[in-house]
């Protein structure tokens, strides 16, 4: 595949991610921060996010399994997750977290469990998507092209 | 002769010598008779020839014939003295017969014509009488015509001038001349209207100011009719000339002269009779002249009097209009002068202001510029504080200088507010920081209360708003010797307008605007309620006798009121009296900035000599966030902007790492109370404010409580996550310039 085609593919894919709501404007901000001093900034941050979220989700699962659920702690965790996800622009994860927090306030265990399940799913999804995206980018870079600037025009 | 001496004469023989004499005499007489008889017809013929008009020519011819024949008879008789022939006798007889015939005819004719001749004579007499009469009348007409001419000339003379005195003098002179008067005088009514004063005379050059009461019967008589009235020479008005002995004074005539006033003339009516005043003209014929006033002369006098009245009124009208015109011209000149003076004054004032402004600004600029430069150099903390205060004060002074110019522009109405988006909190904070030193010296406590629903950003003229607040607070501090001063700022709700003492103020809030209500209460010397209205007047001094405090005069409150008015607001002072403190409240209308503009405009740097720094040149910052992802993102952001970033994952770590070199600390306050405590701990660590870094909270919480808490613990700023590059750039710029930044929530 030639560079131009790959770049177009990358653009289409990125656009689809935004349209489907996986990512939002914050992700673009991250991309802006990537410069010559910080060439892998985005990848690093995203990786960090997934590590963090993995840990958090585990903690949440354990916490919700308890007989007496400590909603405060759960809230704290979810809050963390929400913060992280919004930092990198993982929109759907963030929205799930918001819903999760509401249920935490209501101290609705069942709903929380459902939310947890949903959050996990979303995390998986966005992780896959981003991995695909990064692979595409690597291919482009390997082929000698450059990542085109993404403009949010919708 | 008829004596025939025939043959039978037995008389004595005639004795020729005696008879001869008689005959001779007869002879001569006959001859002369014949001569006469012949010459008379010749004369008659001559007469007939000469007189063409004589109607009885035929009679004359008859006469002529008769006389000729008689003459002939006598002539022929000459021949009969001697013996004569028969022819002579025949001729003689013929002649006699003819003569008889003619003379009889003549006699008969004469009988006819004698009456005619007589009537001719009568007619002639009649015609002569007629001619005499006509002559007389002709004389009269001529006199009248001459009089008329005189009147016209008089009128012309009188009307040719519009000067009162000339009119009257001319009248008298001309009348005197026309009528050959001895004396002519004019009596004018005095101002009181109760007397007549001798105003003009013909002969005497300087009339003595005789006065005569106006209600004399003779005067009334004259005034009551418009005709010339003969008066007695002995009445007071006529006694004009010194009466010398036995002169028989001439007849005197007086006539009234109406003096018409301007007000007498209505448009449709002629002047009424009742309100008129009259002057009296007295004319005296020469004494001892046996002249009498003729009718035509009286008429002349009446006509002249009327003309004089008209001429006088014209003169009066003209005088009036001339006077009015002169007055107007004078007024025009005066007004023009006043206008020019006013213009000069305004120019002078403007020039003065411009020059003074320039003169005052030049050193001000020097101070500001050098202080700014000084600020950039290496300074100790104390020095930095001093320099900052100098800078702030100089800026304030520069603003005040601008305001002196502004006030004059305010009055002209040419001042316009500058509208920018600015931070309300920063305005109040600056005011506080400026006033705090003064207040602490006087040991006054200053409290600021900003309502929680107050927008962080507003659209308006922040410089002037700050000036207003500063002025009000400054006054509060100035006039309080002890106690406390509280400043509160809230968003005015419609209800709060009702209990304000301004019934005519009906502001309408809209989506784009809100009304800021600021109230400054002090517990100082208070103001007498009567003095309150004067406070807003420029330079007015309150007459409070009891307060020995500083005199309150100057431009301050006047300028405040004008600014407040320009911002469509209202300002008023309440005080319960001397010693009971006072409260100043004002509303101003400010705009609400658009949320979309916020991120761009809210951080737009102010014009005061600063520029946007895109690269913060190794600015040392500290990031505290226990969320790794967030920490990385924020760190990356700041690195991208060129800062020297240190990251801490916990409060303890933060406290350990923090140093005076760090200019800004970004801390996440999403996690409970850690952030707030950390802020307090940091502030404790650094005693002096200028040492410690600026503390800025990063939060995703769109919660007013959070904001209040941040402000309460003394944080310098609050930013909402997510933060974009541009936003962070702006934030840093703003922070470094203003040292405070609270984002609107």
């Amino acid at each position: 595949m030639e560079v131009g085609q790959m770049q177009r593919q990358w653009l289409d894919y990125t656009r689809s991610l935004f349209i489907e709501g996986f990512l939002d404007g914050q992700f673009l901000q991250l991309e802006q921060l990537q410069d010559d001093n910080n060439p892998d900034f985005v990848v690093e941050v995203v990786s960090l996010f997934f590590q963090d979220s993995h840990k958090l989700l585990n903690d949440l699962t354990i916490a919700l399994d308890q007989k007496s659920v400590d909603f405060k702690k759960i809230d704290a965790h979810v809050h963390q997750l929400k913060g992280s996800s919004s930092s990198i622009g993982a929109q759907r994860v963030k929205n799930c977290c918001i819903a999760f927090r509401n249920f935490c306030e209501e101290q609705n265990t069942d709903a929380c469990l459902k939310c947890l399940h949903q959050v996990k799913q979303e995390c998986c999804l966005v992780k896959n998507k981003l991995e695909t995206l990064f692979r595409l980018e690597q291919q482009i870079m390997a082929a000698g092209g450059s990542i085109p600037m993404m403009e949010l025009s919708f | 002769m008829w004596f025939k001496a025939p043959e039978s004469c037995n008389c004595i023989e005639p004795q020729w010598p005696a008879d001869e004499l008689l005959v001779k005499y007869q002879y001569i007489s006959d001859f002369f008779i014949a001569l006469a008889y012949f010459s008379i017809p010749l004369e008659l013929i001559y007469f007939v020839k000469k007189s063409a008009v004589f109607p009885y020519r035929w009679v004359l011819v008859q006469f002529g014939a008769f006389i000729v024949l008689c003459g002939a008879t006598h002539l022929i008789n000459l021949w009969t003295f001697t013996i004569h022939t028969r022819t002579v006798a025949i001729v003689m007889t013929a002649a006699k017969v003819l003569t008889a015939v003619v003379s009889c005819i003549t006699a008969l004719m004469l009988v006819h014509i004698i009456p005619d001749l007589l009537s001719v004579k009568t007619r002639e007499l009649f015609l002569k009488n007629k001619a005499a009469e006509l002559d007389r009348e002709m004389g009269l007409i001529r006199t009248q015509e001459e009089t008329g001419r005189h009147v016209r000339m008089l009128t012309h003379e009188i009307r040719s001038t519009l000067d009162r005195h000339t009119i009257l003098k001319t009248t008298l002179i001309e009348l005197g001349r026309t009528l050959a008067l001895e004396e002519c005088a004019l009596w004018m009514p005095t101002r009181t209207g109760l007397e007549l004063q001798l105003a003009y005379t013909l002969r005497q050059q300087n009339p003595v100011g005789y006065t005569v009461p106006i209600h004399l019967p003779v005067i009334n008589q004259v005034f009551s009719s418009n005709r010339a009235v003969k008066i007695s020479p002995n009445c007071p008005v006529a006694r004009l000339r010194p009466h010398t002995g036995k002169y028989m004074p001439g007849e005197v005539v007086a006539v009234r002269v109406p003096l018409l006033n301007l007000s007498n003339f209505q448009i449709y009516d002629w002047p009424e009779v009742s309100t008129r005043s009259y002057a009296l003209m007295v004319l005296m014929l020469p004494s001892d002249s046996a002249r009498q006033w003729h009718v035509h002369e009286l008429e002349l006098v009446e006509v002249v009097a009327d003309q004089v009245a008209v001429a006088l009124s014209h003169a009066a009208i003209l005088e009036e209009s001339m006077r009015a015109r002169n007055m107007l011209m004078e007024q025009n000149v005066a007004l023009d002068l006043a206008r020019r003076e006013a213009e000069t004054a305004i120019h002078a004032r403007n020039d003065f202001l411009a020059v003074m402004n320039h003169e005052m600004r030049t050193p001000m600029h020097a101070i500001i510029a050098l202080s700014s430069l000084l600020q950039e150099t290496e300074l100790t903390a104390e020095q930095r504080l001093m320099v900052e205060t100098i800078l702030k004060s100089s800026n304030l002074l520069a603003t005040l200088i601008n305001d002196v110019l502004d006030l004059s522009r305010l009055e002209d109405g040419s001042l316009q507010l500058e509208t920018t988006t600015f931070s309300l909190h920063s305005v109040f904070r600056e005011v506080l920081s400026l006033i705090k030193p003064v207040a602490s010296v006087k040991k006054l406590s200053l409290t600021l209360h900003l309502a929680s629903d107050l927008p962080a950003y507003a659209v308006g003229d922040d410089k002037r708003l700050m000036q207003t607040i500063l002025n009000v607070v400054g006054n509060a501090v100035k006039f309080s010797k002890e106690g406390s001063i509280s400043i509160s700022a809230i968003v005015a709700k419609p209800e709060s307008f009702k209990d304000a003492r301004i019934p005519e103020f009906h502001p309408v809030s809209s989506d784009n605007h809100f009304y800021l209500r600021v109230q400054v209460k002090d517990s100082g010397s208070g103001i007498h309620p009567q003095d309150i209205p004067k406070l807003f007047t420029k330079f007015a001094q309150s007459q409070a006798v009891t307060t020995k405090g500083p005199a309150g005069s100057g431009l301050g409150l006047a300028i405040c009121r004008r600014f407040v008015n320009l911002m469509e607001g209202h300002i008023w002072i309440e005080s319960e009296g001397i010693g009971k403190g006072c409260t100043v409240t004002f509303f101003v209308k400010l705009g609400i900035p658009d949320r979309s503009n916020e991120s761009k405009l809210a951080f737009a740097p102010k014009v005061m000599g600063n520029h946007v720094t895109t690269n913060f040149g190794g600015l040392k910052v500290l990031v505290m966030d226990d969320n790794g992802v967030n920490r990385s993102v924020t760190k990356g952001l700041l690195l991208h902007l060129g800062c020297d970033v240190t990251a801490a994952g916990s409060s303890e770590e933060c406290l350990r790492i923090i140093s005076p070199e760090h200019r800004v600390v970004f801390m996440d306050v999403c996690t409970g109370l850690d952030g707030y405590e950390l802020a307090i701990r940091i502030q404790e660590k650094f005693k002096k404010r200028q040492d410690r870094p600026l503390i800025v909270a990063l939060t995703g919480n769109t919660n007013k409580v959070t904001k209040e808490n941040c402000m309460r613990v003394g944080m310098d700023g609050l930013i909402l996550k997510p933060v974009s590059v541009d936003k962070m750039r702006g934030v840093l710029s703003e922070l470094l310039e203003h040292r405070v930044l609270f984002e609107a929530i």
Side-chain angles (χ1 to χ4, degrees), chain A residues 110-132:
Chain A
D110 285 348
C112 285
L113 277 169
K114 273 213 200 88
C115 268
L116 179 62
H117 188 68
Q118 209 174 357
V119 168
K120 276 188 186 163
Q121 256 189 321
E122 290 298 331
C123 274
C124 268
L125 272 171
V126 81
K127 186 169 170 195
N128 289 338
K129 299 278 184 187
L130 283 171
E131 277 174 8
T132 318

Side-chain angles (χ1 to χ4, degrees), chain A residues 41-58:
Chain A
F41 180 69
V42 180
V43 177
E44 281 171 14
V45 173
V46 170
S47 315
L48 194 57
F49 169 72
F50 287 126
Q51 282 171 17
D52 248 8
S53 59
H54 185 77
K55 190 164 148 308
L56 278 171
L57 288 171
N58 284 341

Side-chain angles (χ1 to χ4, degrees), chain B residues 50-112:
Chain B
K50 277 292 174 184
S51 80
V53 293
F54 195 72
Y56 299 110
R57 269 187 176 184
W58 179 242
V59 175
L60 280 174
V61 166
Q62 276 177 336
F63 255 117
F66 167 67
I67 292 170
V68 162
L69 283 170
C70 262
T73 315
H74 277 283
L75 195 63
I76 295 170
N77 217 18
L78 284 176
W79 272 270
T80 55
F81 283 116
T82 52
I83 315 262
H84 49 279
T85 58
R86 195 168 171 87
T87 30
V88 172
I90 292 169
V91 166
M92 183 76 199
T93 315
K96 277 192 181 166
V97 168
L98 227 56
T99 309
V101 170
V102 169
S103 51
C104 285
I105 292 172
T106 310
L108 283 169
M109 291 239 76
L110 216 57
V111 169
H112 282 290

Side-chain angles (χ1 to χ4, degrees), chain B residues 515-530:
Chain B
Y515 281 87
L516 174 71
R517 182 180 184 274
V518 176
Q519 194 168 61
V520 177
K521 274 200 188 84
D522 71 62
S523 60
S525 50
I527 303 167
H528 210 284
Q530 288 168 356

Side-chain angles (χ1 to χ4, degrees), chain A residues 45-84:
Chain A
V45 173
V46 170
S47 315
L48 194 57
F49 169 72
F50 287 126
Q51 282 171 17
D52 248 8
S53 59
H54 185 77
K55 190 164 148 308
L56 278 171
L57 288 171
N58 284 341
D59 287 348
L60 277 170
T61 319
I62 294 168
L64 276 171
D65 252 353
Q66 302 293 319
K67 286 231 177 56
S68 65
V69 179
D70 186 1
F71 282 98
K72 272 213 175 71
K73 203 158 109 190
I74 291 177
D75 189 45
H77 286 316
V78 176
H79 182 78
Q80 284 271 336
L81 190 59
K82 179 179 145 218
S84 313

Side-chain angles (χ1 to χ4, degrees), chain B residues 264 269 320 376 495 638 646:
Chain B
N264 290 130
D269 310 322
E320 200 59 49
E376 303 287 324
E495 304 86 53
L638 290 163
T646 326

Side-chain angles (χ1 to χ4, degrees), chain B residues 584-643:
Chain B
V584 179
T585 321
F586 68 87
F587 292 102
V588 289
K589 186 177 178 187
L590 296 170
I592 301 174
D594 295 336
R595 285 209 81 100
S596 59
N597 285 338
E598 232 171 59
S599 23
K600 281 183 251 149
L601 290 178
F603 308 99
K606 299 295 161 55
V607 194
M608 284 282 288
N610 235 342
H611 54 278
V612 182
T613 38
T614 47
N615 189 334
F616 291 91
L619 179 77
K620 266 180 131 28
V621 295
L622 183 62
V623 174
M624 199 294 284
D625 196 336
D626 51 4
N627 184 323
V629 177
N630 295 347
R631 202 169 51 236
S632 311
V633 172
T634 313
K635 181 173 169 183
L637 196 56
L638 290 163
L639 278 172
H640 183 71
L641 290 170
C643 301

